[in-house]
Amino acid sequence: MAEQTLSVSLKQVPQGRLGVWLLIVGELIIFGSLVVCYLLYRLRFPSWVEQTQHTSTFYGGLNTFVLLTSSYTIVKANDAALKKDLAKMSRYMLTTIFCGLIFLAVKSTEYAHEIGAGFTLTSPGLQATNPVGATFWSFYYIMTGLHATHVLAGMVTLFVVWLDARKGRNIHRVELGGLYWHMVDLIWIFLFPLLYIAK
Amino acid sequence: METPHSTTHAPQGFWTKYLFSTDHKTIGIQYMITGLFMAAVGGFLAYVFRYNLAFPGESIPLFGQLDAMHYNAFVTNHGMIMVLFVGMPFLVSGLGNLLIPLMIGTDDMAFPTLNMMSFWIFLVSCLVMVAAFFVPGGAFGGGWTLYPPLSASGYVNRNPAFWSTFFSATPMFILGVALEFVSMLMGGINFLVTTINKRAEGMTPFKIPLIVWFLNIATLDFMVSVGPLVAGAVMLLLDNVVGTGFYDPARGGDPVLFQHLFWFFGHPEVYVLLLPALGVMGEIIPVFSRKPLFAYRTIIYLSLIAAVLSVVVWAHHQFIAGIDPRMATFFSIGTIIISIPFAGVFLSFMATLWGGSIRFTMPMIWALGFIGLFLIGGLTGLYLGSSTFDIYAHDTYFVVAHFHYTMFPVVFFGFFSAVYFWFPKFTGKHLNHTLGMIHFWLTFIPFNVTFFVLFFNGLAGQHRRVNEYSSFSNIMKEPYITFEKISTIGAIVLMVSQFIFLYNLFISLRKGRKAEKNPWDSNTLEWQADSPPVHGNFNPYPVVYHGPYEYSHPSSEQDFVPQDNPIVLKTN
Ligand code: HEM
């Protein structure tokens, strides 16, 4: 019976994974809406191109590299977890968290750089001459800022998972943490071209 | 095959049993009690401003003078509290927690700890909303829809110092709502995962009771539609607190953007509340008509269609916000189309009643009352859905009357039907029938008295969100002045008669007749558990053989066939 198979096949998705997937869908909708709002404004104001000249492709690119690396290491961590190789898993998880740390460090440097140049959340200097341009920076900070908070949240999650997993407890959570980490990565893959490349 | 049974043990201490419980039944009841408390807050606010409308300038009993600022704050908070802090805990979190695990035949939610956390976050969000009344400058008063530029400017934060900026009207309002969303999202994940993964053996998708379907569709609708508003609220908060220009036209921002983000959530939200209420009716009506629910599968498909449509009707709230007329046509048509699936659901209820052996029990009376009232709400909505009429009626009491005719039945009639129906199950006691009947009539009649007259005031041009009308000569004349008074008196009777309900709960819990397992001869699984169900609900877990609505089946001796009854039904 078709009905029977549906109910059985759905039940085969483990509970935790299903929960994390739903969480990810929720998060993607939130970020998706921000991106849509940004695009609507961007299309309305071609003059934003001037502002995008000032975002640092170098820092953005560096961070893309860091995050992609971390996605690789978390996959390796999960592989190791599946093989019950705790030492290797633990090493890869810590590397992932460390990548997150580097990401945040680079982000802070980048922010310091932009703030030094007068581009802040409200950009008071810019407001006097180019009020519409100032709103670009509001979007820049809200999008990257919210993303950075998620990086931090992902790091904390992975750390909590690591505390247990390194002793062999709740190893399946490595995969769940990894799923979340991939989402953080995915969002960045959207933000990077939108804010740093499209100039 | 051996059926597994619950291995968890019931917690013993008072704290773990009643307060920090992870048991879905306790959490569901906690949600409902919190909702009742918030309903008292929201109702009191309504009493105060309703009194002010009928007797402007007079001192209000139990309150005192109401100035314009506070009028606005009260209307705003009344709206938000009734929708998100009463409707949601009653119908979605409350009913969902109580019913989903029992009706699908399992011991608890998929993530019990997460479930407990969502309740506590919800409680904090309620406290934030109430606390906002006591910060310097008072609560937010920019309308429950939070439209910028008003909400984005510091104007409604009547306290200039930076730190107190954060602890003032708008940020606290946004914070309260945001926490509520977090709690609902966590709860929603739990509902969906539980329903997908934890169903009893044999509980195939089309053996799931209607209300569980509807709760899940509602949850899904909520989770899809809330994201944009979360994003919009973050921008609004920054506009308000830090001074960014997301919604400031002088800096390229667009206030209408927020309206889109708000109603993208706001309109599906009314279906999020409506669906569980319809689900309650879908459980009650077959039981007390002793007939299978008419077109069970079709209703599920219809409501899935409605859920999809619900995210493409939002701009009908913005017909006069200067949106493109072509867009207005699109949303008019969408709005009128979405009434088709819901009309389908209602027709199926009618068809279920048709020729049934109807038992006029308390839950049935409430369910019938719901159908009658919602009909008026729905039909007036059809008028408003056409942009030509809406441009005339927008922002008048016609709209206020319309959405109260939909929201009040949904939130309160839905809640009361559910309480009168499931009270015996969760407490093991029967509610007093006579008091229940008095309560029904003293809610049904005063409700109509309160809101029916407002249709006329609205058509005469009376605007909402205005605290006194002395300079409007078209309103300050008979019969509209009398209508205002009638409406207020109706509202007061309506609120006072709710004490009958509270008294009934209280007295029945103490002295009520003991309830057996299945007092209404019902099929669904929760009635096959003990009343009240023990920790872990079932022992052993049930196995499901039948759909939920096999009433008066010709090949069964009893006129009902519990879902876990292994007898074979002959289909002819
Ligand atoms: C207890 C009975 C109730 C009474 C007497 C009542 C009365 C009112 C009145 C007179 C207004 C319009 C005030 C104005 O525009 O100046 C209003 C607004 C509103 N009510 Fe109610 N109401 C009741 C219950 C409810 C319920 C159950 C809900 C929803 C679940 C609800 C949701 C709203 C909303 C969303 C608004 C609009 C607030 C705004 O304009 O920002 N009310 N109510």
Side-chain angles (χ1 to χ4, degrees):
Chain A
M1 241 164 85
E3 208 175 297
Q4 214 80 38
T5 35
L6 175 63
S7 91
V8 169
S9 64
L10 277 177
K11 279 187 188 178
Q12 276 160 358
V13 181
Q15 202 152 287
R17 199 188 298 164
L18 198 57
V20 174
W21 273 115
L22 288 171
L23 175 74
I24 290 176
V25 170
E27 296 265 28
L28 287 182
I29 295 176
I30 297 177
F31 272 97
S33 338
L34 267 180
V35 167
V36 170
C37 292
Y38 168 78
L39 284 176
L40 286 173
Y41 279 47
R42 177 96 194 235
L43 293 176
R44 191 183 285 182
F45 304 118
S47 66
W48 273 14
V49 169
E50 290 161 33
Q51 304 303 322
T52 57
Q53 305 302 329
H54 300 286
T55 58
S56 162
T57 316
F58 170 70
Y59 286 130
L62 186 61
N63 262 344
T64 311
F65 176 71
V66 172
L67 271 193
L68 285 179
T69 313
S70 74
S71 261
Y72 174 73
T73 55
I74 196 68
V75 170
K76 292 302 264 183
N78 191 37
D79 280 352
L82 288 180
K83 294 195 194 103
K84 299 266 181 319
D85 184 348
L86 292 185
K88 196 165 164 202
M89 176 204 75
S90 176
R91 222 169 31 246
Y92 273 118
M93 284 187 83
L94 289 178
T95 321
T96 311
I97 298 176
F98 186 67
C99 284
L101 215 57
I102 298 181
F103 177 91
L104 291 181
V106 173
K107 187 103 279 177
S108 316
T109 327
E110 179 190 334
Y111 277 177
H113 181 80
E114 302 295 2
I115 293 171
F119 303 120
T120 65
L121 200 50
T122 49
S123 314
L126 197 60
Q127 266 187 44
T129 52
N130 181 358
V132 172
T135 303
F136 170 82
W137 291 99
S138 304
F139 268 107
Y140 166 82
Y141 279 105
I142 197 177
M143 286 160 84
T144 55
L146 216 55
H147 175 259
T149 339
H150 280 74
V151 172
L152 193 63
M155 286 162 62
V156 174
T157 315
L158 284 182
F159 184 72
V160 174
V161 171
W162 174 78
L163 285 180
D164 262 8
R166 73 196 159 120
K167 295 191 197 123
R169 272 181 283 142
N170 285 325
I171 295 194
H172 69 283
R173 291 191 182 158
V174 177
E175 186 204 335
L176 307 183
L179 277 176
Y180 187 84
W181 193 260
H182 284 318
M183 173 203 79
V184 174
D185 197 15
L186 179 75
I187 293 171
W188 180 256
I189 297 299
F190 276 90
L191 298 191
F192 178 57
L194 283 174
L195 293 170
Y196 297 84
I197 296 188
K199 297 203 163 179
Chain B
M1 188 184 123
E2 205 194 355
T3 35
H5 50 82
S6 170
T7 47
T8 48
H9 293 285
Q12 297 306 321
F14 171 81
W15 291 98
T16 41
K17 195 162 172 199
Y18 295 109
L19 237 47
F20 296 102
S21 169
T22 54
D23 185 53
H24 71 102
K25 300 178 286 292
T26 315
I27 294 176
I29 292 170
Q30 285 173 328
Y31 268 116
M32 291 215 166
I33 292 175
T34 319
L36 269 179
F37 176 76
M38 291 309 277
V41 176
F44 182 74
L45 298 177
Y47 154 74
V48 170
F49 63 71
R50 229 4 300 164
Y51 196 93
N52 178 74
L53 283 167
F55 309 102
E58 282 175 36
S59 169
I60 297 159
L62 298 177
F63 182 75
Q65 288 288 344
L66 182 70
D67 59 24
M69 256 323 194
H70 282 92
Y71 182 92
N72 290 342
F74 280 23
V75 172
T76 302
N77 281 275
H78 160 77
M80 197 52 113
I81 285 177
M82 285 297 191
V83 173
L84 280 187
F85 297 86
V86 180
M88 293 299 266
F90 276 178
L91 295 172
V92 183
S93 331
L95 282 184
N97 267 304
L98 286 174
L99 297 178
I100 289 179
L102 273 164
M103 287 186 127
I104 63 172
T106 187
D107 58 341
D108 206 332
M109 285 289 177
F111 311 109
T113 317
L114 188 74
N115 203 17
M116 177 183 78
M117 273 159 60
S118 23
F119 170 73
W120 285 95
I121 293 178
F122 173 70
L123 192 69
V124 171
S125 77
C126 291
L127 293 178
V128 172
M129 291 302 280
V130 175
F133 281 98
F134 301 101
V135 296
F140 177 68
W144 85 286
T145 47
L146 273 159
Y147 280 2
L150 188 59
S151 57
S153 73
Y155 169 70
V156 278
N157 293 349
R158 279 152 275 150
N159 199 327
F162 178 77
W163 279 112
S164 46
T165 305
F166 205 78
F167 291 100
S168 65
T170 319
M172 284 193 67
F173 195 74
I174 297 179
L175 183 70
V177 173
L179 285 173
E180 212 271 343
F181 286 166
V182 172
S183 140
M184 291 308 300
L185 281 172
M186 286 161 58
I189 291 178
N190 234 330
F191 286 8
L192 292 170
V193 176
T194 307
T195 316
I196 292 175
N197 261 10
K198 294 195 70 174
R199 298 195 305 276
E201 209 189 318
M203 183 61 95
T204 50
F206 289 109
K207 291 201 173 78
I208 299 177
L210 193 69
I211 186 166
V212 177
W213 265 104
F214 276 15
L215 279 163
N216 280 283
I217 298 174
T219 309
L220 210 58
D221 209 3
F222 177 84
M223 289 176 65
V224 168
S225 64
V226 81
L229 181 56
V230 173
V234 174
M235 295 193 262
L236 185 63
L237 192 66
L238 287 179
D239 268 15
N240 186 287
V241 178
V242 188
T244 50
F246 292 112
Y247 302 119
D248 179 359
R251 283 180 271 165
D254 188 351
V256 178
L257 174 69
F258 183 82
Q259 300 189 5
H260 284 298
L261 297 175
F262 182 87
W263 287 114
F264 187 82
F265 161 75
H267 201 79
E269 170 64 19
V270 305
Y271 299 116
V272 171
L273 294 177
L274 171 61
L275 282 170
L278 287 178
V280 173
M281 308 310 148
E283 299 307 318
I284 292 177
I285 290 174
V287 173
F288 299 113
S289 311
R290 312 310 296 166
K291 271 183 65 189
L293 184 65
F294 184 82
Y296 160 75
R297 282 194 189 206
T298 315
I299 309 187
I300 290 169
Y301 291 132
L302 282 177
S303 58
L304 284 169
I305 295 173
V308 173
L309 284 176
S310 75
V311 293
V312 294
V313 297
W314 78 89
H316 67 213
H317 295 268
Q318 297 158 248
F319 283 153
I320 64 153
I323 61 173
D324 190 318
R326 281 165 300 183
M327 211 160 118
T329 313
F330 173 81
F331 283 103
S332 271
I333 294 173
T335 305
I336 291 167
I337 289 182
I338 201 175
S339 57
I340 297 173
F342 286 114
V345 176
F346 271 84
L347 284 177
S348 122
F349 291 167
M350 302 292 169
T352 310
L353 289 168
W354 184 265
S357 24
I358 295 176
R359 299 179 185 171
F360 286 103
T361 55
M362 288 178 294
M364 187 64 165
I365 295 282
W366 283 96
L368 296 175
F370 168 87
I371 291 184
L373 293 182
F374 195 84
L375 200 65
I376 301 180
L379 286 181
T380 51
L382 220 46
Y383 287 102
L384 291 170
S386 118
S387 55
T388 30
F389 179 77
D390 184 60
I391 288 169
Y392 175 72
H394 187 88
D395 252 344
T396 67
Y397 270 82
F398 190 89
V399 173
V400 173
H402 150 70
F403 69 69
H404 282 86
Y405 261 99
T406 56
M407 297 299 265
F408 192 94
V410 164
V411 173
F412 284 107
F413 280 60
F415 171 69
F416 288 136
S417 314
V419 171
Y420 283 106
F421 189 54
W422 279 291
F423 189 86
K425 173 52 50 190
F426 289 102
T427 61
K429 297 286 172 63
H430 276 288
L431 281 167
N432 182 307
H433 182 83
T434 323
L435 284 176
M437 286 302 179
I438 299 175
H439 176 216
F440 173 77
W441 289 109
L442 281 183
T443 304
F444 187 80
I445 298 171
F447 169 77
N448 282 291
V449 171
T450 309
F451 288 105
F452 202 75
V453 288
L454 293 183
F455 281 120
F456 299 105
N457 279 29
L459 286 178
Q462 181 174 1
H463 266 235
R464 62 195 276 206
R465 294 176 177 171
V466 176
N467 71 324
E468 59 105 26
Y469 292 86
S470 48
S471 47
F472 295 80
S473 53
N474 59 329
I475 296 302
M476 288 312 280
K477 66 175 187 218
E478 292 300 344
Y480 305 113
I481 298 180
T482 315
F483 281 177
E484 282 286 338
K485 297 204 167 76
I486 292 177
S487 172
T488 298
I489 291 166
I492 292 174
V493 176
L494 175 64
M495 287 172 201
V496 171
S497 58
Q498 301 315 310
F499 285 101
I500 303 173
F501 172 69
L502 295 180
Y503 177 73
N504 195 354
L505 287 187
F506 179 74
I507 199 86
S508 305
L509 270 179
R510 295 197 51 199
K511 303 198 187 130
R513 190 157 51 83
K514 233 180 116 33
E516 52 283 28
K517 260 190 178 182
N518 191 355
W520 314 117
D521 295 344
S522 186
N523 283 348
T524 39
L525 288 181
E526 81 274 28
W527 299 104
Q528 321 313 329
D530 292 337
S531 301
V534 292
H535 191 85
N537 297 341
F538 300 98
N539 199 359
Y541 283 135
V543 177
V544 176
Y545 299 94
H546 309 290
Y549 304 109
E550 300 289 0
Y551 293 103
S552 310
H553 195 283
S555 70
S556 149
E557 276 170 30
Q558 281 176 318
D559 73 344
F560 66 107
V561 186
Q563 285 192 276
D564 62 349
N565 184 340
I567 70 160
V568 180
L569 293 178
K570 281 192 281 297
T571 40
N572 39 6

